[in-house]
mmCIF file with all atom_site columns, all heavy atoms in Angstrom:
data_model
loop_
_atom_site.group_PDB
_atom_site.id
_atom_site.type_symbol
_atom_site.label_atom_id
_atom_site.label_alt_id
_atom_site.label_comp_id
_atom_site.label_asym_id
_atom_site.label_entity_id
_atom_site.label_seq_id
_atom_site.pdbx_PDB_ins_code
_atom_site.Cartn_x
_atom_site.Cartn_y
_atom_site.Cartn_z
_atom_site.occupancy
_atom_site.B_iso_or_equiv
_atom_site.pdbx_formal_charge
_atom_site.auth_seq_id
_atom_site.auth_comp_id
_atom_site.auth_asym_id
_atom_site.auth_atom_id
_atom_site.pdbx_PDB_model_num
ATOM 1   N N   . ARG A 1 8  ? -216.682 104.114 253.797 1.00 91.00 ? 159 ARG A N   1
ATOM 2   C CA  . ARG A 1 8  ? -215.675 103.071 253.621 1.00 91.00 ? 159 ARG A CA  1
ATOM 3   C C   . ARG A 1 8  ? -216.303 101.780 253.094 1.00 91.00 ? 159 ARG A C   1
ATOM 4   O O   . ARG A 1 8  ? -215.759 101.129 252.206 1.00 91.00 ? 159 ARG A O   1
ATOM 5   C CB  . ARG A 1 8  ? -214.949 102.808 254.930 1.00 91.00 ? 159 ARG A CB  1
ATOM 6   C CG  . ARG A 1 8  ? -213.782 101.815 254.713 1.00 91.00 ? 159 ARG A CG  1
ATOM 7   C CD  . ARG A 1 8  ? -212.939 101.520 255.918 1.00 91.00 ? 159 ARG A CD  1
ATOM 8   N NE  . ARG A 1 8  ? -212.577 102.690 256.677 1.00 91.00 ? 159 ARG A NE  1
ATOM 9   C CZ  . ARG A 1 8  ? -212.830 102.821 257.978 1.00 91.00 ? 159 ARG A CZ  1
ATOM 10  N NH1 . ARG A 1 8  ? -213.405 101.848 258.664 1.00 91.00 ? 159 ARG A NH1 1
ATOM 11  N NH2 . ARG A 1 8  ? -212.476 103.909 258.629 1.00 91.00 ? 159 ARG A NH2 1
ATOM 12  N N   . LEU A 1 9  ? -217.468 101.443 253.605 1.00 93.00 ? 160 LEU A N   1
ATOM 13  C CA  . LEU A 1 9  ? -218.161 100.232 253.123 1.00 93.00 ? 160 LEU A CA  1
ATOM 14  C C   . LEU A 1 9  ? -218.543 100.367 251.662 1.00 93.00 ? 160 LEU A C   1
ATOM 15  O O   . LEU A 1 9  ? -218.414 99.439  250.879 1.00 93.00 ? 160 LEU A O   1
ATOM 16  C CB  . LEU A 1 9  ? -219.394 99.950  253.987 1.00 93.00 ? 160 LEU A CB  1
ATOM 17  C CG  . LEU A 1 9  ? -219.105 99.452  255.396 1.00 93.00 ? 160 LEU A CG  1
ATOM 18  C CD1 . LEU A 1 9  ? -220.374 99.488  256.228 1.00 93.00 ? 160 LEU A CD1 1
ATOM 19  C CD2 . LEU A 1 9  ? -218.502 98.059  255.368 1.00 93.00 ? 160 LEU A CD2 1
ATOM 20  N N   . ALA A 1 10 ? -219.020 101.551 251.287 1.00 94.00 ? 161 ALA A N   1
ATOM 21  C CA  . ALA A 1 10 ? -219.367 101.797 249.883 1.00 94.00 ? 161 ALA A CA  1
ATOM 22  C C   . ALA A 1 10 ? -218.127 101.617 248.998 1.00 94.00 ? 161 ALA A C   1
ATOM 23  O O   . ALA A 1 10 ? -218.184 100.985 247.962 1.00 94.00 ? 161 ALA A O   1
ATOM 24  C CB  . ALA A 1 10 ? -219.969 103.183 249.704 1.00 94.00 ? 161 ALA A CB  1
ATOM 25  N N   . ARG A 1 11 ? -217.014 102.180 249.442 1.00 94.00 ? 162 ARG A N   1
ATOM 26  C CA  . ARG A 1 11 ? -215.767 102.072 248.664 1.00 94.00 ? 162 ARG A CA  1
ATOM 27  C C   . ARG A 1 11 ? -215.321 100.599 248.535 1.00 94.00 ? 162 ARG A C   1
ATOM 28  O O   . ARG A 1 11 ? -214.954 100.154 247.450 1.00 94.00 ? 162 ARG A O   1
ATOM 29  C CB  . ARG A 1 11 ? -214.685 102.919 249.340 1.00 94.00 ? 162 ARG A CB  1
ATOM 30  C CG  . ARG A 1 11 ? -213.370 102.962 248.605 1.00 94.00 ? 162 ARG A CG  1
ATOM 31  C CD  . ARG A 1 11 ? -212.355 103.971 249.187 1.00 94.00 ? 162 ARG A CD  1
ATOM 32  N NE  . ARG A 1 11 ? -212.405 104.190 250.615 1.00 94.00 ? 162 ARG A NE  1
ATOM 33  C CZ  . ARG A 1 11 ? -213.028 105.190 251.202 1.00 94.00 ? 162 ARG A CZ  1
ATOM 34  N NH1 . ARG A 1 11 ? -213.709 106.074 250.520 1.00 94.00 ? 162 ARG A NH1 1
ATOM 35  N NH2 . ARG A 1 11 ? -213.018 105.304 252.547 1.00 94.00 ? 162 ARG A NH2 1
ATOM 36  N N   . GLU A 1 12 ? -215.403 99.865  249.641 1.00 93.00 ? 163 GLU A N   1
ATOM 37  C CA  . GLU A 1 12 ? -215.001 98.453  249.598 1.00 93.00 ? 163 GLU A CA  1
ATOM 38  C C   . GLU A 1 12 ? -215.906 97.654  248.657 1.00 93.00 ? 163 GLU A C   1
ATOM 39  O O   . GLU A 1 12 ? -215.423 96.820  247.882 1.00 93.00 ? 163 GLU A O   1
ATOM 40  C CB  . GLU A 1 12 ? -215.066 97.851  250.999 1.00 93.00 ? 163 GLU A CB  1
ATOM 41  C CG  . GLU A 1 12 ? -213.985 98.358  251.930 1.00 93.00 ? 163 GLU A CG  1
ATOM 42  C CD  . GLU A 1 12 ? -214.155 97.873  253.372 1.00 93.00 ? 163 GLU A CD  1
ATOM 43  O OE1 . GLU A 1 12 ? -214.954 96.942  253.611 1.00 93.00 ? 163 GLU A OE1 1
ATOM 44  O OE2 . GLU A 1 12 ? -213.478 98.419  254.245 1.00 93.00 ? 163 GLU A OE2 1
ATOM 45  N N   . LEU A 1 13 ? -217.189 97.935  248.677 1.00 95.00 ? 164 LEU A N   1
ATOM 46  C CA  . LEU A 1 13 ? -218.146 97.211  247.826 1.00 95.00 ? 164 LEU A CA  1
ATOM 47  C C   . LEU A 1 13 ? -217.920 97.571  246.368 1.00 95.00 ? 164 LEU A C   1
ATOM 48  O O   . LEU A 1 13 ? -217.900 96.685  245.510 1.00 95.00 ? 164 LEU A O   1
ATOM 49  C CB  . LEU A 1 13 ? -219.580 97.529  248.246 1.00 95.00 ? 164 LEU A CB  1
ATOM 50  C CG  . LEU A 1 13 ? -220.691 96.824  247.467 1.00 95.00 ? 164 LEU A CG  1
ATOM 51  C CD1 . LEU A 1 13 ? -220.498 95.308  247.454 1.00 95.00 ? 164 LEU A CD1 1
ATOM 52  C CD2 . LEU A 1 13 ? -222.044 97.202  248.061 1.00 95.00 ? 164 LEU A CD2 1
ATOM 53  N N   . ILE A 1 14 ? -217.732 98.849  246.075 1.00 95.00 ? 165 ILE A N   1
ATOM 54  C CA  . ILE A 1 14 ? -217.494 99.277  244.707 1.00 95.00 ? 165 ILE A CA  1
ATOM 55  C C   . ILE A 1 14 ? -216.183 98.675  244.183 1.00 95.00 ? 165 ILE A C   1
ATOM 56  O O   . ILE A 1 14 ? -216.125 98.205  243.041 1.00 95.00 ? 165 ILE A O   1
ATOM 57  C CB  . ILE A 1 14 ? -217.503 100.817 244.608 1.00 95.00 ? 165 ILE A CB  1
ATOM 58  C CG1 . ILE A 1 14 ? -218.953 101.318 244.860 1.00 95.00 ? 165 ILE A CG1 1
ATOM 59  C CG2 . ILE A 1 14 ? -216.958 101.312 243.287 1.00 95.00 ? 165 ILE A CG2 1
ATOM 60  C CD1 . ILE A 1 14 ? -219.066 102.798 245.155 1.00 95.00 ? 165 ILE A CD1 1
ATOM 61  N N   . ASP A 1 15 ? -215.153 98.684  244.997 1.00 94.00 ? 166 ASP A N   1
ATOM 62  C CA  . ASP A 1 15 ? -213.872 98.088  244.597 1.00 94.00 ? 166 ASP A CA  1
ATOM 63  C C   . ASP A 1 15 ? -214.029 96.579  244.322 1.00 94.00 ? 166 ASP A C   1
ATOM 64  O O   . ASP A 1 15 ? -213.465 96.056  243.377 1.00 94.00 ? 166 ASP A O   1
ATOM 65  C CB  . ASP A 1 15 ? -212.798 98.277  245.678 1.00 94.00 ? 166 ASP A CB  1
ATOM 66  C CG  . ASP A 1 15 ? -212.302 99.717  245.772 1.00 94.00 ? 166 ASP A CG  1
ATOM 67  O OD1 . ASP A 1 15 ? -212.601 100.513 244.838 1.00 94.00 ? 166 ASP A OD1 1
ATOM 68  O OD2 . ASP A 1 15 ? -211.633 100.033 246.768 1.00 94.00 ? 166 ASP A OD2 1
ATOM 69  N N   . ALA A 1 16 ? -214.826 95.890  245.147 1.00 94.00 ? 167 ALA A N   1
ATOM 70  C CA  . ALA A 1 16 ? -215.059 94.458  244.949 1.00 94.00 ? 167 ALA A CA  1
ATOM 71  C C   . ALA A 1 16 ? -215.799 94.177  243.657 1.00 94.00 ? 167 ALA A C   1
ATOM 72  O O   . ALA A 1 16 ? -215.699 93.093  243.086 1.00 94.00 ? 167 ALA A O   1
ATOM 73  C CB  . ALA A 1 16 ? -215.839 93.871  246.121 1.00 94.00 ? 167 ALA A CB  1
ATOM 74  N N   . CYS A 1 17 ? -216.518 95.187  243.161 1.00 95.00 ? 168 CYS A N   1
ATOM 75  C CA  . CYS A 1 17 ? -217.235 95.047  241.882 1.00 95.00 ? 168 CYS A CA  1
ATOM 76  C C   . CYS A 1 17 ? -216.371 95.420  240.681 1.00 95.00 ? 168 CYS A C   1
ATOM 77  O O   . CYS A 1 17 ? -216.816 95.311  239.543 1.00 95.00 ? 168 CYS A O   1
ATOM 78  C CB  . CYS A 1 17 ? -218.480 95.912  241.886 1.00 95.00 ? 168 CYS A CB  1
ATOM 79  S SG  . CYS A 1 17 ? -219.763 95.311  243.004 1.00 95.00 ? 168 CYS A SG  1
ATOM 80  N N   . GLY A 1 18 ? -215.150 95.861  240.918 1.00 95.00 ? 169 GLY A N   1
ATOM 81  C CA  . GLY A 1 18 ? -214.249 96.204  239.825 1.00 95.00 ? 169 GLY A CA  1
ATOM 82  C C   . GLY A 1 18 ? -214.138 97.690  239.562 1.00 95.00 ? 169 GLY A C   1
ATOM 83  O O   . GLY A 1 18 ? -213.599 98.073  238.527 1.00 95.00 ? 169 GLY A O   1
ATOM 84  N N   . GLY A 1 19 ? -214.646 98.511  240.438 1.00 94.00 ? 170 GLY A N   1
ATOM 85  C CA  . GLY A 1 19 ? -214.516 99.969  240.279 1.00 94.00 ? 170 GLY A CA  1
ATOM 86  C C   . GLY A 1 19 ? -215.834 100.609 239.888 1.00 94.00 ? 170 GLY A C   1
ATOM 87  O O   . GLY A 1 19 ? -216.868 99.962  239.725 1.00 94.00 ? 170 GLY A O   1
ATOM 88  N N   . LEU A 1 20 ? -215.788 101.924 239.728 1.00 95.00 ? 171 LEU A N   1
ATOM 89  C CA  . LEU A 1 20 ? -217.010 102.689 239.451 1.00 95.00 ? 171 LEU A CA  1
ATOM 90  C C   . LEU A 1 20 ? -217.724 102.295 238.183 1.00 95.00 ? 171 LEU A C   1
ATOM 91  O O   . LEU A 1 20 ? -218.949 102.159 238.174 1.00 95.00 ? 171 LEU A O   1
ATOM 92  C CB  . LEU A 1 20 ? -216.662 104.190 239.415 1.00 95.00 ? 171 LEU A CB  1
ATOM 93  C CG  . LEU A 1 20 ? -216.400 104.860 240.747 1.00 95.00 ? 171 LEU A CG  1
ATOM 94  C CD1 . LEU A 1 20 ? -215.878 106.287 240.529 1.00 95.00 ? 171 LEU A CD1 1
ATOM 95  C CD2 . LEU A 1 20 ? -217.634 104.875 241.596 1.00 95.00 ? 171 LEU A CD2 1
ATOM 96  N N   . ASP A 1 21 ? -216.976 102.136 237.094 1.00 95.00 ? 172 ASP A N   1
ATOM 97  C CA  . ASP A 1 21 ? -217.614 101.798 235.811 1.00 95.00 ? 172 ASP A CA  1
ATOM 98  C C   . ASP A 1 21 ? -218.370 100.484 235.878 1.00 95.00 ? 172 ASP A C   1
ATOM 99  O O   . ASP A 1 21 ? -219.537 100.383 235.470 1.00 95.00 ? 172 ASP A O   1
ATOM 100 C CB  . ASP A 1 21 ? -216.574 101.748 234.679 1.00 95.00 ? 172 ASP A CB  1
ATOM 101 C CG  . ASP A 1 21 ? -216.040 103.112 234.321 1.00 95.00 ? 172 ASP A CG  1
ATOM 102 O OD1 . ASP A 1 21 ? -216.799 104.090 234.345 1.00 95.00 ? 172 ASP A OD1 1
ATOM 103 O OD2 . ASP A 1 21 ? -214.838 103.210 234.006 1.00 95.00 ? 172 ASP A OD2 1
ATOM 104 N N   . GLU A 1 22 ? -217.691 99.475  236.375 1.00 95.00 ? 173 GLU A N   1
ATOM 105 C CA  . GLU A 1 22 ? -218.292 98.145  236.435 1.00 95.00 ? 173 GLU A CA  1
ATOM 106 C C   . GLU A 1 22 ? -219.454 98.115  237.431 1.00 95.00 ? 173 GLU A C   1
ATOM 107 O O   . GLU A 1 22 ? -220.491 97.495  237.164 1.00 95.00 ? 173 GLU A O   1
ATOM 108 C CB  . GLU A 1 22 ? -217.240 97.112  236.812 1.00 95.00 ? 173 GLU A CB  1
ATOM 109 C CG  . GLU A 1 22 ? -217.607 95.690  236.476 1.00 95.00 ? 173 GLU A CG  1
ATOM 110 C CD  . GLU A 1 22 ? -216.444 94.725  236.605 1.00 95.00 ? 173 GLU A CD  1
ATOM 111 O OE1 . GLU A 1 22 ? -215.284 95.151  236.526 1.00 95.00 ? 173 GLU A OE1 1
ATOM 112 O OE2 . GLU A 1 22 ? -216.736 93.524  236.784 1.00 95.00 ? 173 GLU A OE2 1
ATOM 113 N N   . ALA A 1 23 ? -219.299 98.795  238.555 1.00 95.00 ? 174 ALA A N   1
ATOM 114 C CA  . ALA A 1 23 ? -220.360 98.821  239.562 1.00 95.00 ? 174 ALA A CA  1
ATOM 115 C C   . ALA A 1 23 ? -221.576 99.548  239.028 1.00 95.00 ? 174 ALA A C   1
ATOM 116 O O   . ALA A 1 23 ? -222.728 99.120  239.233 1.00 95.00 ? 174 ALA A O   1
ATOM 117 C CB  . ALA A 1 23 ? -219.869 99.482  240.838 1.00 95.00 ? 174 ALA A CB  1
ATOM 118 N N   . ALA A 1 24 ? -221.373 100.645 238.296 1.00 96.00 ? 175 ALA A N   1
ATOM 119 C CA  . ALA A 1 24 ? -222.484 101.407 237.736 1.00 96.00 ? 175 ALA A CA  1
ATOM 120 C C   . ALA A 1 24 ? -223.283 100.557 236.740 1.00 96.00 ? 175 ALA A C   1
ATOM 121 O O   . ALA A 1 24 ? -224.500 100.669 236.650 1.00 96.00 ? 175 ALA A O   1
ATOM 122 C CB  . ALA A 1 24 ? -221.992 102.677 237.074 1.00 96.00 ? 175 ALA A CB  1
ATOM 123 N N   . ALA A 1 25 ? -222.590 99.691  236.036 1.00 96.00 ? 176 ALA A N   1
ATOM 124 C CA  . ALA A 1 25 ? -223.256 98.820  235.056 1.00 96.00 ? 176 ALA A CA  1
ATOM 125 C C   . ALA A 1 25 ? -224.069 97.734  235.753 1.00 96.00 ? 176 ALA A C   1
ATOM 126 O O   . ALA A 1 25 ? -224.955 97.124  235.151 1.00 96.00 ? 176 ALA A O   1
ATOM 127 C CB  . ALA A 1 25 ? -222.225 98.203  234.127 1.00 96.00 ? 176 ALA A CB  1
ATOM 128 N N   . ALA A 1 26 ? -223.775 97.472  237.027 1.00 95.00 ? 177 ALA A N   1
ATOM 129 C CA  . ALA A 1 26 ? -224.423 96.398  237.768 1.00 95.00 ? 177 ALA A CA  1
ATOM 130 C C   . ALA A 1 26 ? -225.597 96.850  238.648 1.00 95.00 ? 177 ALA A C   1
ATOM 131 O O   . ALA A 1 26 ? -226.190 96.034  239.339 1.00 95.00 ? 177 ALA A O   1
ATOM 132 C CB  . ALA A 1 26 ? -223.403 95.671  238.640 1.00 95.00 ? 177 ALA A CB  1
ATOM 133 N N   . CYS A 1 27 ? -225.879 98.166  238.633 1.00 95.00 ? 178 CYS A N   1
ATOM 134 C CA  . CYS A 1 27 ? -226.941 98.670  239.487 1.00 95.00 ? 178 CYS A CA  1
ATOM 135 C C   . CYS A 1 27 ? -227.676 99.823  238.807 1.00 95.00 ? 178 CYS A C   1
ATOM 136 O O   . CYS A 1 27 ? -227.340 100.193 237.697 1.00 95.00 ? 178 CYS A O   1
ATOM 137 C CB  . CYS A 1 27 ? -226.411 99.106  240.844 1.00 95.00 ? 178 CYS A CB  1
ATOM 138 S SG  . CYS A 1 27 ? -225.358 100.540 240.801 1.00 95.00 ? 178 CYS A SG  1
ATOM 139 N N   . ARG A 1 28 ? -228.682 100.397 239.490 1.00 96.00 ? 179 ARG A N   1
ATOM 140 C CA  . ARG A 1 28 ? -229.524 101.425 238.881 1.00 96.00 ? 179 ARG A CA  1
ATOM 141 C C   . ARG A 1 28 ? -228.966 102.842 238.937 1.00 96.00 ? 179 ARG A C   1
ATOM 142 O O   . ARG A 1 28 ? -229.514 103.746 238.359 1.00 96.00 ? 179 ARG A O   1
ATOM 143 C CB  . ARG A 1 28 ? -230.905 101.417 239.526 1.00 96.00 ? 179 ARG A CB  1
ATOM 144 C CG  . ARG A 1 28 ? -230.915 101.881 240.969 1.00 96.00 ? 179 ARG A CG  1
ATOM 145 C CD  . ARG A 1 28 ? -232.324 102.082 241.507 1.00 96.00 ? 179 ARG A CD  1
ATOM 146 N NE  . ARG A 1 28 ? -232.325 102.360 242.913 1.00 96.00 ? 179 ARG A NE  1
ATOM 147 C CZ  . ARG A 1 28 ? -232.149 103.585 243.437 1.00 96.00 ? 179 ARG A CZ  1
ATOM 148 N NH1 . ARG A 1 28 ? -231.964 104.621 242.657 1.00 96.00 ? 179 ARG A NH1 1
ATOM 149 N NH2 . ARG A 1 28 ? -232.163 103.757 244.743 1.00 96.00 ? 179 ARG A NH2 1
ATOM 150 N N   . VAL A 1 29 ? -227.859 103.052 239.687 1.00 95.00 ? 180 VAL A N   1
ATOM 151 C CA  . VAL A 1 29 ? -227.307 104.389 239.796 1.00 95.00 ? 180 VAL A CA  1
ATOM 152 C C   . VAL A 1 29 ? -226.019 104.505 238.992 1.00 95.00 ? 180 VAL A C   1
ATOM 153 O O   . VAL A 1 29 ? -225.361 103.514 238.674 1.00 95.00 ? 180 VAL A O   1
ATOM 154 C CB  . VAL A 1 29 ? -227.037 104.798 241.271 1.00 95.00 ? 180 VAL A CB  1
ATOM 155 C CG1 . VAL A 1 29 ? -228.338 104.783 242.076 1.00 95.00 ? 180 VAL A CG1 1
ATOM 156 C CG2 . VAL A 1 29 ? -226.016 103.898 241.914 1.00 95.00 ? 180 VAL A CG2 1
ATOM 157 N N   . GLY A 1 30 ? -225.665 105.739 238.665 1.00 94.00 ? 181 GLY A N   1
ATOM 158 C CA  . GLY A 1 30 ? -224.501 105.993 237.839 1.00 94.00 ? 181 GLY A CA  1
ATOM 159 C C   . GLY A 1 30 ? -223.231 106.185 238.659 1.00 94.00 ? 181 GLY A C   1
ATOM 160 O O   . GLY A 1 30 ? -223.253 106.136 239.910 1.00 94.00 ? 181 GLY A O   1
ATOM 161 N N   . LYS A 1 31 ? -222.138 106.423 237.940 1.00 95.00 ? 182 LYS A N   1
ATOM 162 C CA  . LYS A 1 31 ? -220.834 106.586 238.571 1.00 95.00 ? 182 LYS A CA  1
ATOM 163 C C   . LYS A 1 31 ? -220.816 107.757 239.547 1.00 95.00 ? 182 LYS A C   1
ATOM 164 O O   . LYS A 1 31 ? -220.189 107.693 240.608 1.00 95.00 ? 182 LYS A O   1
ATOM 165 C CB  . LYS A 1 31 ? -219.758 106.780 237.510 1.00 95.00 ? 182 LYS A CB  1
ATOM 166 C CG  . LYS A 1 31 ? -219.457 105.566 236.704 1.00 95.00 ? 182 LYS A CG  1
ATOM 167 C CD  . LYS A 1 31 ? -218.410 105.714 235.621 1.00 95.00 ? 182 LYS A CD  1
ATOM 168 C CE  . LYS A 1 31 ? -217.756 107.025 235.423 1.00 95.00 ? 182 LYS A CE  1
ATOM 169 N NZ  . LYS A 1 31 ? -216.799 107.070 234.333 1.00 95.00 ? 182 LYS A NZ  1
ATOM 170 N N   . SER A 1 32 ? -221.494 108.840 239.205 1.00 94.00 ? 183 SER A N   1
ATOM 171 C CA  . SER A 1 32 ? -221.494 110.014 240.063 1.00 94.00 ? 183 SER A CA  1
ATOM 172 C C   . SER A 1 32 ? -222.099 109.711 241.440 1.00 94.00 ? 183 SER A C   1
ATOM 173 O O   . SER A 1 32 ? -221.537 110.077 242.473 1.00 94.00 ? 183 SER A O   1
ATOM 174 C CB  . SER A 1 32 ? -222.258 111.170 239.386 1.00 94.00 ? 183 SER A CB  1
ATOM 175 O OG  . SER A 1 32 ? -222.320 112.282 240.231 1.00 94.00 ? 183 SER A OG  1
ATOM 176 N N   . SER A 1 33 ? -223.245 109.040 241.436 1.00 94.00 ? 184 SER A N   1
ATOM 177 C CA  . SER A 1 33 ? -223.876 108.671 242.721 1.00 94.00 ? 184 SER A CA  1
ATOM 178 C C   . SER A 1 33 ? -222.998 107.702 243.488 1.00 94.00 ? 184 SER A C   1
ATOM 179 O O   . SER A 1 33 ? -222.843 107.837 244.700 1.00 94.00 ? 184 SER A O   1
ATOM 180 C CB  . SER A 1 33 ? -225.254 108.060 242.472 1.00 94.00 ? 184 SER A CB  1
ATOM 181 O OG  . SER A 1 33 ? -226.135 109.034 241.972 1.00 94.00 ? 184 SER A OG  1
ATOM 182 N N   . LEU A 1 34 ? -222.445 106.720 242.799 1.00 95.00 ? 185 LEU A N   1
ATOM 183 C CA  . LEU A 1 34 ? -221.578 105.761 243.472 1.00 95.00 ? 185 LEU A CA  1
ATOM 184 C C   . LEU A 1 34 ? -220.383 106.462 244.085 1.00 95.00 ? 185 LEU A C   1
ATOM 185 O O   . LEU A 1 34 ? -219.968 106.145 245.214 1.00 95.00 ? 185 LEU A O   1
ATOM 186 C CB  . LEU A 1 34 ? -221.115 104.675 242.500 1.00 95.00 ? 185 LEU A CB  1
ATOM 187 C CG  . LEU A 1 34 ? -222.186 103.681 242.043 1.00 95.00 ? 185 LEU A CG  1
ATOM 188 C CD1 . LEU A 1 34 ? -221.657 102.792 240.933 1.00 95.00 ? 185 LEU A CD1 1
ATOM 189 C CD2 . LEU A 1 34 ? -222.713 102.862 243.194 1.00 95.00 ? 185 LEU A CD2 1
ATOM 190 N N   . SER A 1 35 ? -219.834 107.431 243.370 1.00 95.00 ? 186 SER A N   1
ATOM 191 C CA  . SER A 1 35 ? -218.712 108.198 243.905 1.00 95.00 ? 186 SER A CA  1
ATOM 192 C C   . SER A 1 35 ? -219.136 108.970 245.162 1.00 95.00 ? 186 SER A C   1
ATOM 193 O O   . SER A 1 35 ? -218.387 109.026 246.148 1.00 95.00 ? 186 SER A O   1
ATOM 194 C CB  . SER A 1 35 ? -218.201 109.139 242.824 1.00 95.00 ? 186 SER A CB  1
ATOM 195 O OG  . SER A 1 35 ? -217.106 109.898 243.335 1.00 95.00 ? 186 SER A OG  1
#
Side-chain angles (χ1 to χ4, degrees):
R159 186 177 314 126
L160 289 168
R162 184 173 31 264
E163 289 174 12
L164 181 54
I165 291 165
D166 288 348
C168 289
L171 286 172
D172 290 323
E173 199 169 336
C178 68
R179 68 171 173 84
V180 299
K182 290 179 1 182
S183 177
S184 292
L185 290 172
S186 180

